[in-house]
Amino acid sequence: MLRILALTALMVAGLSFAQADETLKATLYKNPQCGCCEGYADYLRKNGFEVEVKPTNDLASISSKAGVPATFQGCHTTFVDGYVVDGHVPVKTVKKLLSDRPDIAGISLPGMPAGSPGMVGGKTEPFTIYGVTKDGKAPAVYSIE
């Protein structure tokens, strides 16, 4: 009986360690005065991400260096597991990116669409999320939500 209890305890401990390793770490760069970016960080946290928020006055440069063209930039820039996620991208699409692991720099939801995660208001139209390339080619539609 003790062996069974010990084995069960080891299995439970192993599952706890495995679940802890699955926490996705994200670094979110945002304008110091932006509140909706904090809302997006909270949204990611509620969906299993560990988020470090870094205020910056150089957001456009960070996005650009990550491969996001100026016209495709969002409100903030997040880095997670080797990808850039620019703007208020729904977590379903972020997780799809991390699961599919396409050969792109990342994804972007340009602007600050109403009703997107972290933004106020209701969703007024589908969100078009673009795949950002590594080679400077024009972004293409990655997902529509």
Side-chain angles (χ1 to χ4, degrees):
M1 184 67 167
L2 286 175
R3 276 189 150 169
I4 292 172
L5 287 174
L7 184 58
T8 302
L10 285 173
M11 288 173 58
V12 169
L15 287 174
S16 296
F17 289 128
Q19 289 170 345
D21 288 344
E22 291 177 21
T23 300
L24 294 167
K25 296 181 189 220
T27 304
L28 184 145
Y29 292 88
K30 71 173 206 82
N31 182 295
Q33 290 78 35
C34 186
C36 68
C37 299
E38 291 291 342
Y40 186 74
D42 288 341
Y43 166 77
L44 288 177
R45 288 181 186 110
K46 288 176 185 168
N47 283 281
F49 289 79
E50 181 181 312
V51 183
E52 178 182 5
V53 176
K54 293 188 173 188
T56 180
N57 289 313
D58 200 20
L59 190 58
S61 176
I62 290 169
S63 293
S64 182
K65 286 178 185 173
V68 183
T71 56
F72 288 87
Q73 291 178 9
C75 180
H76 48 264
T77 302
T78 306
F79 294 94
V80 59
D81 203 18
Y83 288 101
V84 62
V85 176
D86 214 87
H88 294 263
V89 178
V91 76
K92 176 182 169 188
T93 303
V94 175
K95 288 186 176 182
K96 177 183 182 323
L97 171 74
L98 298 176
S99 173
D100 293 352
R101 311 253 356 128
D103 189 25
I104 59 176
I107 53 179
S108 175
L109 177 57
M112 299 168 65
S116 60
M119 291 295 295
V120 297
K123 185 176 179 179
T124 58
E125 60 188 6
F127 302 134
T128 302
I129 296 115
Y130 295 89
V132 179
T133 66
K134 293 178 180 178
D135 58 8
K137 291 183 182 174
V141 174
Y142 179 76
S143 175
I144 297 176
E145 279 198 47

